[in-house]
Amino acid sequence: FKIKRITNINSKQKRNTFMNIINLRQARKSAGLTQQQAADAIGVVQSAYKNYEQGNREPKGDILVKLADLFGVTTDYLLGR
């Protein structure tokens, strides 16, 4: 017999997201930066940064550290710990 995997995830929830996207967005807004400005400051394109905030993509460790430094928060804060 077959076992069906059932997932109950709506379109706004993301799977396998380690970054706390709410904290990331809040940190950027508190710093008074646009997504483009944040992306430029950490050396990524705006679409990559947008995907971090939407939970579609996870930043690598070095980018996570740059984000924390840019926003004056800890990496644990960005990870939601």
Coordinates of all heavy atoms in Angstrom, one line a residue:
F1 N 0.8 -1.2 0.0 CA 0.0 0.0 0.0 C 0.9 1.2 0.0 O 2.0 1.2 0.4 CB -1.0 0.0 1.2 CG -0.4 0.3 2.5 CD1 -0.5 1.6 3.0 CD2 0.2 -0.7 3.3 CE1 0.0 1.9 4.3 CE2 0.7 -0.4 4.5 CZ 0.6 0.9 5.0
K2 N 0.3 2.3 -0.5 CA 1.0 3.6 -0.5 C 0.7 4.5 0.6 O -0.4 4.5 1.1 CB 0.7 4.4 -1.8 CG 1.3 3.8 -3.0 CD 1.0 4.8 -4.2 CE 1.9 4.5 -5.4 NZ 1.6 5.4 -6.5
I3 N 1.7 5.2 1.1 CA 1.5 6.2 2.1 C 1.6 7.6 1.5 O 2.6 7.9 0.8 CB 2.6 6.0 3.3 CG1 2.4 4.7 3.9 CG2 2.4 7.2 4.3 CD1 3.5 4.4 5.0
K4 N 0.6 8.3 1.7 CA 0.6 9.7 1.2 C 1.1 10.7 2.2 O 0.7 10.6 3.4 CB -0.8 10.1 0.8 CG -1.1 10.1 -0.7 CD -2.4 10.7 -0.9 CE -2.7 10.6 -2.4 NZ -4.1 11.2 -2.7
R5 N 2.0 11.5 1.8 CA 2.4 12.6 2.8 C 1.5 13.7 2.6 O 1.3 14.2 1.5 CB 3.9 13.0 2.4 CG 4.3 14.2 3.3 CD 5.7 14.6 3.0 NE 6.5 13.9 3.9 CZ 7.8 13.9 4.0 NH1 8.5 14.7 3.1 NH2 8.5 13.3 4.9
I6 N 1.0 14.2 3.7 CA 0.0 15.3 3.7 C 0.7 16.5 4.4 O 1.3 16.3 5.5 CB -1.2 14.9 4.5 CG1 -1.9 13.8 3.8 CG2 -2.1 16.2 4.6 CD1 -3.1 13.2 4.6
T7 N 0.7 17.6 3.7 CA 1.3 18.8 4.3 C 0.2 19.8 4.4 O -0.6 19.9 3.5 CB 2.5 19.3 3.5 OG1 2.0 19.5 2.2 CG2 3.6 18.4 3.5
N8 N 0.2 20.5 5.5 CA -0.8 21.6 5.7 C 0.0 22.9 5.9 O 0.1 23.4 6.9 CB -1.6 21.2 7.0 CG -2.8 22.2 7.1 OD1 -3.1 22.9 6.2 ND2 -3.4 22.2 8.3
I9 N 0.5 23.4 4.8 CA 1.2 24.6 4.8 C 0.6 25.6 3.8 O 0.4 25.3 2.6 CB 2.7 24.4 4.3 CG1 3.4 23.5 5.3 CG2 3.4 25.7 4.2 CD1 4.8 23.1 5.0
N10 N 0.2 26.8 4.3 CA -0.5 27.7 3.4 C 0.6 28.4 2.6 O 1.8 28.3 2.8 CB -1.4 28.7 4.1 CG -0.6 29.7 5.0 OD1 0.5 30.1 4.7 ND2 -1.2 30.0 6.1
S11 N 0.2 29.2 1.6 CA 1.1 29.8 0.7 C 2.1 30.8 1.3 O 3.1 31.2 0.8 CB 0.3 30.5 -0.4 OG -0.4 31.6 0.1
K12 N 1.7 31.4 2.5 CA 2.6 32.3 3.2 C 3.7 31.6 4.1 O 4.6 32.3 4.5 CB 1.8 33.3 4.0 CG 1.0 34.2 3.1 CD 0.5 35.4 3.8 CE -0.3 36.2 2.8 NZ -0.4 37.6 3.1
Q13 N 3.5 30.4 4.4 CA 4.4 29.7 5.2 C 5.5 29.0 4.3 O 5.2 28.7 3.2 CB 3.7 28.6 6.0 CG 2.8 29.1 7.1 CD 2.1 27.9 7.8 OE1 1.6 27.0 7.1 NE2 2.0 28.0 9.1
K14 N 6.7 29.0 4.8 CA 7.8 28.4 4.0 C 8.3 27.1 4.7 O 8.3 27.1 5.9 CB 8.9 29.4 3.8 CG 8.4 30.7 3.2 CD 7.9 30.5 1.8 CE 7.4 31.8 1.2 NZ 6.7 31.7 0.0
R15 N 8.8 26.2 3.9 CA 9.4 25.0 4.5 C 10.9 25.2 4.6 O 11.5 26.0 3.8 CB 9.2 23.8 3.5 CG 7.7 23.4 3.4 CD 7.7 22.2 2.5 NE 6.3 22.1 2.1 CZ 5.9 21.1 1.3 NH1 6.7 20.3 0.8 NH2 4.6 21.0 0.9
N16 N 11.5 24.6 5.6 CA 12.9 24.6 5.8 C 13.5 26.0 5.9 O 14.5 26.3 5.4 CB 13.6 23.8 4.7 CG 13.2 22.4 4.6 OD1 12.9 21.8 5.6 ND2 13.0 21.9 3.4
T17 N 12.8 26.9 6.6 CA 13.3 28.2 6.7 C 13.9 28.4 8.1 O 13.2 28.2 9.1 CB 12.1 29.3 6.5 OG1 11.6 29.1 5.2 CG2 12.6 30.7 6.7
F18 N 15.2 28.7 8.2 CA 15.8 28.9 9.4 C 15.9 30.3 9.8 O 15.9 30.7 11.0 CB 17.2 28.3 9.4 CG 17.2 26.8 9.1 CD1 17.6 26.4 7.8 CD2 16.9 25.9 10.0 CE1 17.6 25.0 7.5 CE2 16.8 24.6 9.8 CZ 17.2 24.1 8.5
M19 N 15.9 31.2 8.9 CA 15.9 32.6 9.1 C 14.5 33.1 9.6 O 13.5 32.7 9.1 CB 16.3 33.4 7.8 CG 16.1 34.9 7.9 SD 17.5 35.7 8.7 CE 18.7 35.5 7.5
N20 N 14.5 33.9 10.6 CA 13.3 34.5 11.1 C 13.0 35.7 10.2 O 13.6 36.8 10.4 CB 13.4 34.9 12.6 CG 12.0 35.3 13.1 OD1 11.4 36.2 12.5 ND2 11.6 34.8 14.2
I21 N 12.1 35.5 9.2 CA 11.9 36.6 8.3 C 11.2 37.8 8.9 O 11.5 38.9 8.4 CB 11.1 36.1 7.0 CG1 9.7 35.5 7.4 CG2 11.9 35.0 6.3 CD1 8.8 35.1 6.3
I22 N 10.5 37.7 9.9 CA 9.9 38.8 10.6 C 11.0 39.7 11.2 O 11.0 40.9 11.1 CB 8.8 38.4 11.6 CG1 7.6 37.7 10.9 CG2 8.3 39.6 12.4 CD1 6.7 37.0 11.8
N23 N 11.9 39.0 11.9 CA 13.0 39.7 12.6 C 13.9 40.4 11.5 O 14.3 41.5 11.7 CB 13.8 38.8 13.4 CG 13.1 38.4 14.7 OD1 12.0 38.8 15.0 ND2 13.8 37.6 15.5
L24 N 14.1 39.7 10.4 CA 15.0 40.3 9.4 C 14.3 41.6 8.8 O 15.0 42.6 8.7 CB 15.2 39.3 8.2 CG 16.0 39.8 7.0 CD1 17.4 40.3 7.4 CD2 16.0 38.7 5.9
R25 N 13.0 41.5 8.5 CA 12.3 42.7 7.9 C 12.3 43.8 9.0 O 12.5 45.0 8.6 CB 10.9 42.3 7.5 CG 10.2 43.4 6.9 CD 8.8 43.0 6.3 NE 9.0 42.0 5.3 CZ 8.4 40.8 5.3 NH1 7.6 40.5 6.2 NH2 8.7 40.0 4.3
Q26 N 12.0 43.5 10.2 CA 12.0 44.5 11.3 C 13.3 45.2 11.5 O 13.4 46.4 11.6 CB 11.5 43.9 12.6 CG 11.3 44.9 13.7 CD 10.3 46.0 13.3 OE1 9.2 45.7 12.8 NE2 10.6 47.2 13.7
A27 N 14.4 44.4 11.5 CA 15.7 44.9 11.6 C 16.1 45.9 10.5 O 16.6 47.0 10.7 CB 16.8 43.8 11.7
R28 N 15.7 45.5 9.3 CA 16.0 46.4 8.1 C 15.2 47.7 8.2 O 15.7 48.8 8.1 CB 15.6 45.7 6.8 CG 15.8 46.7 5.6 CD 15.4 46.0 4.3 NE 14.1 45.5 4.2 CZ 13.0 46.3 4.0 NH1 13.1 47.6 3.8 NH2 11.8 45.7 3.9
K29 N 13.9 47.6 8.6 CA 13.1 48.8 8.7 C 13.5 49.7 9.8 O 13.5 50.9 9.7 CB 11.6 48.4 8.8 CG 11.0 47.9 7.5 CD 9.6 47.6 7.7 CE 9.0 47.1 6.3 NZ 7.5 47.0 6.4
S30 N 13.9 49.1 10.9 CA 14.5 49.9 12.1 C 15.7 50.6 11.7 O 16.0 51.7 12.3 CB 14.7 49.0 13.3 OG 13.5 48.4 13.8
A31 N 16.5 50.0 10.8 CA 17.7 50.7 10.4 C 17.4 51.8 9.3 O 18.3 52.5 8.9 CB 18.7 49.6 9.8
G32 N 16.2 51.9 8.9 CA 15.8 52.9 7.9 C 16.3 52.6 6.5 O 16.6 53.5 5.7
L33 N 16.4 51.3 6.2 CA 17.0 51.0 4.9 C 15.9 50.3 4.0 O 15.0 49.6 4.5 CB 18.1 50.0 5.0 CG 19.4 50.5 5.8 CD1 20.3 49.3 6.0 CD2 20.0 51.6 5.1
T34 N 16.1 50.5 2.7 CA 15.3 49.8 1.7 C 15.9 48.5 1.5 O 17.1 48.2 1.8 CB 15.2 50.6 0.4 OG1 16.5 50.6 -0.2 CG2 14.6 52.0 0.6
Q35 N 15.2 47.6 0.8 CA 15.8 46.3 0.4 C 17.0 46.5 -0.5 O 18.0 45.8 -0.3 CB 14.7 45.4 -0.3 CG 13.7 44.8 0.6 CD 12.7 43.9 -0.1 OE1 12.7 43.8 -1.3 NE2 12.0 43.2 0.7
Q36 N 16.9 47.5 -1.4 CA 18.0 47.7 -2.3 C 19.2 48.2 -1.5 O 20.4 47.8 -1.8 CB 17.6 48.8 -3.4 CG 18.7 49.0 -4.4 CD 19.0 47.8 -5.2 OE1 18.1 47.3 -5.9 NE2 20.2 47.3 -5.2
Q37 N 19.0 49.1 -0.6 CA 20.2 49.6 0.2 C 20.8 48.5 1.0 O 22.0 48.4 1.1 CB 19.7 50.7 1.1 CG 19.3 52.0 0.4 CD 18.6 53.0 1.2 OE1 17.8 52.6 2.1 NE2 18.8 54.3 1.0
A38 N 20.0 47.6 1.6 CA 20.5 46.5 2.4 C 21.3 45.6 1.5 O 22.4 45.1 1.9 CB 19.4 45.8 3.1
A39 N 20.7 45.3 0.4 CA 21.4 44.4 -0.6 C 22.7 44.9 -1.0 O 23.7 44.2 -1.0 CB 20.5 44.1 -1.8
D40 N 22.8 46.2 -1.3 CA 24.0 46.9 -1.7 C 25.1 46.8 -0.6 O 26.2 46.5 -0.9 CB 23.8 48.3 -2.1 CG 23.0 48.5 -3.4 OD1 22.9 47.5 -4.2 OD2 22.5 49.6 -3.7
A41 N 24.6 47.0 0.6 CA 25.5 47.1 1.7 C 26.2 45.7 2.0 O 27.3 45.6 2.5 CB 24.8 47.6 3.0
I42 N 25.5 44.6 1.7 CA 26.0 43.3 2.0 C 26.5 42.6 0.8 O 27.0 41.5 0.9 CB 25.0 42.4 2.7 CG1 23.7 42.1 1.9 CG2 24.6 43.0 4.1 CD1 22.8 41.0 2.4
G43 N 26.4 43.2 -0.4 CA 27.0 42.7 -1.6 C 26.2 41.6 -2.3 O 26.8 40.7 -2.9
V44 N 24.9 41.7 -2.3 CA 24.1 40.8 -3.0 C 23.1 41.6 -3.9 O 22.9 42.8 -3.7 CB 23.2 39.9 -2.1 CG1 24.2 39.0 -1.3 CG2 22.3 40.6 -1.2
V45 N 22.5 41.0 -4.9 CA 21.5 41.7 -5.7 C 20.2 41.8 -4.9 O 19.9 41.1 -4.0 CB 21.3 41.0 -7.0 CG1 22.6 41.0 -7.9 CG2 20.8 39.6 -6.9
Q46 N 19.4 42.8 -5.3 CA 18.2 43.1 -4.6 C 17.2 41.9 -4.6 O 16.6 41.6 -3.6 CB 17.5 44.3 -5.2 CG 16.3 44.8 -4.4 CD 14.9 44.2 -4.8 OE1 14.8 43.7 -5.8 NE2 14.0 44.2 -3.8
S47 N 17.2 41.1 -5.7 CA 16.3 40.0 -5.7 C 16.7 38.9 -4.7 O 15.8 38.2 -4.1 CB 16.2 39.4 -7.1 OG 17.5 39.0 -7.6
A48 N 18.0 38.7 -4.5 CA 18.4 37.8 -3.5 C 18.0 38.2 -2.1 O 17.5 37.4 -1.3 CB 20.0 37.6 -3.6
Y49 N 18.2 39.5 -1.8 CA 17.8 40.0 -0.5 C 16.3 39.8 -0.3 O 15.8 39.4 0.7 CB 18.2 41.5 -0.3 CG 17.8 41.9 1.1 CD1 18.7 41.7 2.1 CD2 16.6 42.5 1.3 CE1 18.3 42.0 3.4 CE2 16.2 42.8 2.6 CZ 17.1 42.6 3.6 OH 16.7 42.9 4.9
K50 N 15.5 40.2 -1.3 CA 14.1 40.0 -1.3 C 13.7 38.6 -0.9 O 12.8 38.3 -0.1 CB 13.4 40.4 -2.6 CG 11.9 40.3 -2.6 CD 11.3 40.6 -4.0 CE 11.7 39.4 -4.9 NZ 11.1 39.4 -6.2
N51 N 14.4 37.6 -1.6 CA 14.1 36.2 -1.3 C 14.5 35.8 0.2 O 13.8 34.9 0.7 CB 14.9 35.3 -2.3 CG 14.2 35.3 -3.6 OD1 13.0 35.3 -3.7 ND2 14.9 35.3 -4.7
Y52 N 15.5 36.5 0.8 CA 15.8 36.2 2.2 C 14.6 36.7 3.0 O 14.1 36.0 3.9 CB 17.0 37.0 2.7 CG 18.3 36.7 2.0 CD1 19.3 37.7 1.9 CD2 18.6 35.5 1.4 CE1 20.5 37.4 1.3 CE2 19.8 35.2 0.7 CZ 20.7 36.2 0.7 OH 21.9 35.9 0.1
E53 N 14.0 37.9 2.8 CA 12.9 38.4 3.5 C 11.6 37.6 3.3 O 10.8 37.6 4.2 CB 12.7 39.9 3.2 CG 13.6 40.8 4.0 CD 13.1 42.2 4.0 OE1 11.9 42.5 3.6 OE2 13.9 43.1 4.5
Q54 N 11.5 37.0 2.2 CA 10.3 36.2 1.9 C 10.4 34.8 2.3 O 9.4 34.0 2.2 CB 9.9 36.3 0.4 CG 9.5 37.7 0.0 CD 9.2 37.8 -1.5 OE1 9.6 36.9 -2.3 NE2 8.6 38.9 -1.9
G55 N 11.6 34.4 2.7 CA 11.8 33.0 3.2 C 12.0 32.0 2.0 O 11.9 30.8 2.2
N56 N 12.2 32.5 0.8 CA 12.4 31.7 -0.3 C 13.9 31.2 -0.5 O 14.1 30.3 -1.2 CB 12.0 32.4 -1.6 CG 10.6 32.7 -1.7 OD1 9.7 32.0 -1.1 ND2 10.2 33.8 -2.3
R57 N 14.8 31.9 0.2 CA 16.2 31.6 0.1 C 16.8 31.9 1.5 O 16.5 32.8 2.1 CB 16.8 32.5 -1.0 CG 18.2 32.2 -1.3 CD 18.6 33.1 -2.5 NE 20.1 32.9 -2.6 CZ 20.8 33.6 -3.5 NH1 20.2 34.4 -4.3 NH2 22.0 33.4 -3.7
E58 N 17.8 31.0 1.8 CA 18.6 31.2 3.1 C 19.9 31.8 2.8 O 20.6 31.4 1.8 CB 18.8 29.9 3.8 CG 17.5 29.3 4.3 CD 16.9 30.0 5.5 OE1 17.6 30.6 6.3 OE2 15.7 29.9 5.6
P59 N 20.3 32.9 3.5 CA 21.7 33.4 3.3 C 22.7 32.5 3.8 O 22.5 31.8 4.8 CB 21.6 34.7 4.1 CG 20.6 34.5 5.2 CD 19.6 33.6 4.6
K60 N 23.9 32.5 3.2 CA 25.0 31.7 3.7 C 25.5 32.4 5.0 O 25.2 33.5 5.3 CB 26.1 31.6 2.6 CG 25.7 30.8 1.4 CD 26.8 30.7 0.4 CE 26.4 29.9 -0.8 NZ 27.4 29.7 -1.7
G61 N 26.4 31.6 5.7 CA 26.8 32.1 7.0 C 27.5 33.5 6.9 O 27.2 34.3 7.8
D62 N 28.3 33.7 5.9 CA 29.0 35.0 5.8 C 28.0 36.2 5.6 O 28.2 37.3 6.1 CB 30.1 35.0 4.8 CG 29.6 34.7 3.4 OD1 28.6 34.0 3.2 OD2 30.2 35.3 2.4
I63 N 27.0 35.9 4.8 CA 26.0 36.9 4.5 C 25.1 37.2 5.8 O 24.8 38.3 6.1 CB 25.1 36.5 3.4 CG1 25.9 36.4 2.1 CG2 23.9 37.5 3.2 CD1 26.5 37.7 1.6
L64 N 24.8 36.1 6.5 CA 24.1 36.3 7.8 C 24.9 37.2 8.8 O 24.3 38.0 9.4 CB 23.9 34.9 8.4 CG 23.1 34.9 9.7 CD1 21.7 35.4 9.5 CD2 23.1 33.4 10.3
V65 N 26.2 37.0 8.8 CA 27.0 37.8 9.7 C 27.0 39.3 9.2 O 26.8 40.2 10.0 CB 28.4 37.3 9.8 CG1 29.4 38.3 10.5 CG2 28.5 35.9 10.5
K66 N 27.1 39.5 7.9 CA 27.0 40.8 7.3 C 25.7 41.5 7.7 O 25.6 42.7 8.0 CB 27.2 40.8 5.8 CG 28.7 40.5 5.4 CD 28.8 40.5 3.9 CE 30.2 40.2 3.5 NZ 30.3 40.2 2.0
L67 N 24.6 40.7 7.6 CA 23.3 41.3 7.9 C 23.2 41.7 9.3 O 22.7 42.8 9.7 CB 22.2 40.2 7.6 CG 21.9 40.0 6.1 CD1 21.0 38.7 6.0 CD2 21.1 41.2 5.5
A68 N 23.7 40.8 10.2 CA 23.6 41.2 11.7 C 24.5 42.4 11.9 O 24.0 43.3 12.7 CB 24.2 40.0 12.5
D69 N 25.6 42.5 11.4 CA 26.5 43.7 11.5 C 25.8 45.0 11.0 O 25.8 46.0 11.6 CB 27.8 43.5 10.9 CG 28.7 42.5 11.6 OD1 28.4 42.1 12.8 OD2 29.7 42.0 11.0
L70 N 25.2 44.8 9.8 CA 24.6 46.0 9.2 C 23.4 46.5 10.0 O 23.3 47.7 10.2 CB 24.0 45.6 7.8 CG 23.2 46.6 7.0 CD1 24.1 47.8 6.7 CD2 22.7 46.0 5.8
F71 N 22.6 45.6 10.6 CA 21.5 46.0 11.3 C 21.7 46.2 12.8 O 20.8 46.6 13.6 CB 20.3 45.0 11.2 CG 19.9 44.9 9.7 CD1 19.6 43.6 9.2 CD2 19.8 46.0 8.9 CE1 19.2 43.5 7.9 CE2 19.4 45.8 7.5 CZ 19.1 44.6 7.1
G72 N 22.9 45.9 13.3 CA 23.3 46.0 14.7 C 22.5 45.1 15.6 O 22.1 45.4 16.7
V73 N 22.3 43.8 15.1 CA 21.7 42.8 15.9 C 22.6 41.6 15.9 O 23.6 41.5 15.2 CB 20.3 42.4 15.3 CG1 19.3 43.6 15.3 CG2 20.4 41.9 13.9
T74 N 22.2 40.6 16.6 CA 22.9 39.3 16.6 C 22.4 38.3 15.5 O 21.3 38.5 15.1 CB 22.8 38.6 18.0 OG1 21.5 38.2 18.2 CG2 23.3 39.5 19.1
T75 N 23.3 37.4 15.2 CA 22.8 36.4 14.3 C 21.7 35.5 14.9 O 20.8 35.1 14.2 CB 24.0 35.5 13.8 OG1 24.7 34.9 14.9 CG2 25.0 36.3 13.0
D76 N 21.8 35.3 16.2 CA 20.7 34.6 16.9 C 19.4 35.3 16.7 O 18.4 34.6 16.6 CB 21.1 34.4 18.3 CG 22.0 33.2 18.6 OD1 22.3 32.5 17.7 OD2 22.5 33.1 19.7
Y77 N 19.4 36.6 16.8 CA 18.1 37.4 16.6 C 17.6 37.1 15.2 O 16.4 36.9 15.1 CB 18.4 38.9 16.8 CG 17.2 39.7 16.5 CD1 16.1 39.8 17.4 CD2 17.1 40.4 15.3 CE1 15.0 40.6 17.1 CE2 16.0 41.2 15.0 CZ 14.9 41.3 15.9 OH 13.8 42.0 15.6
L78 N 18.4 37.2 14.2 CA 18.0 37.0 12.8 C 17.5 35.5 12.6 O 16.6 35.3 11.8 CB 19.1 37.3 11.8 CG 19.5 38.8 11.8 CD1 20.6 38.9 10.8 CD2 18.3 39.6 11.4
L79 N 18.0 34.6 13.4 CA 17.6 33.2 13.3 C 16.4 32.9 14.2 O 15.9 31.8 14.2 CB 18.8 32.3 13.7 CG 19.9 32.3 12.7 CD1 21.1 31.5 13.2 CD2 19.5 31.8 11.3
G80 N 16.0 33.9 15.0 CA 14.8 33.7 15.8 C 15.1 32.9 17.1 O 14.2 32.3 17.7
R81 N 16.3 32.9 17.5 CA 16.7 32.1 18.8 C 16.5 33.0 20.0 O 16.7 34.1 20.0 CB 18.1 31.6 18.7 CG 18.3 30.6 17.6 CD 19.7 30.1 17.6 NE 19.9 29.2 16.5 CZ 20.9 28.5 16.3 NH1 21.9 28.6 17.2 NH2 21.0 27.6 15.3

